[in-house]
């Protein structure tokens, strides 16, 4: 019986993407641009958190936002109207994530000079975690109504994120959400992850996230 050649397509796709992501990261470093990949499930409050954060930083650094969605431009319009910063919409054509190539297309379409570009990835706790976008850091938002057990159910997402923002802490009294237990679960997946409890609606805790991001941008540019 003849041997059949087997091609591991998934492995090849990830390896090709990783190479492209490294190239993109190097290019952004030379230009002094810091790229943050922000992920979460739908409805976690990504856009509201971004608005609060950007309004604290926009007078200190130049910021642009890339909004990724399967369709619509709702978030891009909302960001631009609420903050005044440059915002573009990326349509994925049904795909549930962005990879390095898609991210590059978005960056190429951003007009102007920026210190920080924030990619608000497609709302999904699975696919976006699998693909390196070329970002300097990955961040994610977990909202209280989603439950404190999400790090156990979606291990890869929490493993690849440098920062976990726990949003909607104003509703903690109304949900069976143990904040300390959630922090423990996150550290099981990623001992180095920074955990920041916030309320995007009221602004509570947002300063800590904004301060972290500003320090990251400054460090990246001064390396």
């Amino acid at each position: 019986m003849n041997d059949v050649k087997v091609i591991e397509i998934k492995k090849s796709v990830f390896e090709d993407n990783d190479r492209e992501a490294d190239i993109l990261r190097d290019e952004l470093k030379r230009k002094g641009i810091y790229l943050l990949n922000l992920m979460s499930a739908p409805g976690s409050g990504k856009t509201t958190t971004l608005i609060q954060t950007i309004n604290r930083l926009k007078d200190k650094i130049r910021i642009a936002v890339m909004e990724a969605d399967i369709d619509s431009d709702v978030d891009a319009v909302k960001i631009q109207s609420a903050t005044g910063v440059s915002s573009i919409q990326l349509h994925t054509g049904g795909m549930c994530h962005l990879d390095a190539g898609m991210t590059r297309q978005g960056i190429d379409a951003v007009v102007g000079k920026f210190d920080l570009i924030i990619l608000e990835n497609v709302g999904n706790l699975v696919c976006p975690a699998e693909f390196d976008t070329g970002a300097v850091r990955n961040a994610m938002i977990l909202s209280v109504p989603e439950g404190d057990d999400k790090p156990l159910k979606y291990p890869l997402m929490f493993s690849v994120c440098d920062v976990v923002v726990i949003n909607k802490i104003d509703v903690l009294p109304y949900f069976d959400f143990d904040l300390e237990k959630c922090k423990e679960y996150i550290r099981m997946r990623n001992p180095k992850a920074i955990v920041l409890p916030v309320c995007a609606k009221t602004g509570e805790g947002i300063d800590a996230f904004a301060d972290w991001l500003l320090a990251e941008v400054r460090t990246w540019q001064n390396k």
Side-chain angles (χ1 to χ4, degrees):
M1 183 176 180
N2 294 332
D3 291 335
V4 176
K5 185 175 182 179
V6 178
I7 301 174
E8 297 293 344
I9 296 176
K10 185 175 181 180
K11 180 180 178 182
S12 176
V13 167
F14 286 145
E15 287 177 347
D16 290 345
N17 182 72
D18 288 347
R19 281 192 294 271
E20 190 164 356
D22 287 338
I23 292 170
L24 176 58
R25 215 169 357 253
D26 288 342
E27 291 175 2
L28 293 175
K29 180 67 176 70
R30 289 193 294 273
K31 295 176 181 178
I33 299 172
Y34 185 103
L35 176 64
L36 178 72
N37 179 29
L38 182 63
M39 300 176 282
S40 80
S44 67
K46 283 198 303 298
T47 304
T48 306
T49 301
L50 275 185
I51 290 170
Q52 289 272 15
T53 304
I54 290 168
N55 281 332
R56 285 163 170 77
L57 295 175
K58 65 183 182 181
D59 294 331
K60 301 174 183 178
I61 53 177
R62 299 164 297 179
I63 304 171
V65 178
M66 300 189 301
E67 292 285 345
D69 269 311
I70 292 174
D71 204 352
S72 92
D73 62 356
V74 173
D75 289 339
V77 170
K78 187 175 181 180
I79 286 283
Q80 193 158 303
S81 63
T83 67
V85 305
S86 178
S87 178
I88 67 170
Q89 188 74 49
L90 307 178
H91 285 168
T92 65
M95 297 186 70
C96 59
H97 68 276
L98 261 69
D99 60 20
M102 299 174 195
T103 303
R104 177 185 291 279
Q105 290 181 57
I107 291 173
D108 289 345
V110 174
V111 179
K113 294 183 178 180
F114 299 98
D115 303 299
L116 169 64
I117 297 178
I118 301 172
L119 169 62
E120 184 177 340
N121 216 315
V122 180
N124 189 316
L125 290 181
V126 181
C127 304
E130 297 184 320
F131 289 86
D132 188 343
T133 60
V136 183
R137 294 279 185 261
N138 293 316
M140 76 155 298
I141 298 177
L142 169 67
S143 65
V144 167
E146 294 173 67
D148 55 24
D149 59 353
K150 286 297 177 291
L152 302 180
K153 295 182 176 181
Y154 300 93
L156 181 60
M157 173 61 73
F158 290 86
S159 297
V160 302
C161 285
D162 304 283
V163 174
V164 178
V165 176
I166 300 179
N167 190 26
K168 304 185 183 181
I169 59 172
D170 56 320
V171 298
L172 274 170
Y174 309 105
F175 287 87
D176 185 18
F177 188 102
D178 187 326
L179 185 57
E180 293 308 312
K181 183 63 70 174
C182 185
K183 291 179 180 178
E184 179 185 329
Y185 293 152
I186 292 168
R187 292 188 177 110
M188 284 171 56
R189 300 304 186 193
N190 186 350
K192 295 181 180 180
I194 298 169
V195 181
L196 301 173
V198 309
C199 175
K201 183 178 180 180
T202 65
E204 181 182 355
I206 296 294
D207 284 343
F209 182 47
D211 289 346
W212 172 83
L213 191 49
L214 180 60
E216 280 282 307
V217 173
R218 296 299 192 209
T219 300
W220 178 251
Q221 292 179 328
N222 293 327
K223 277 185 178 179

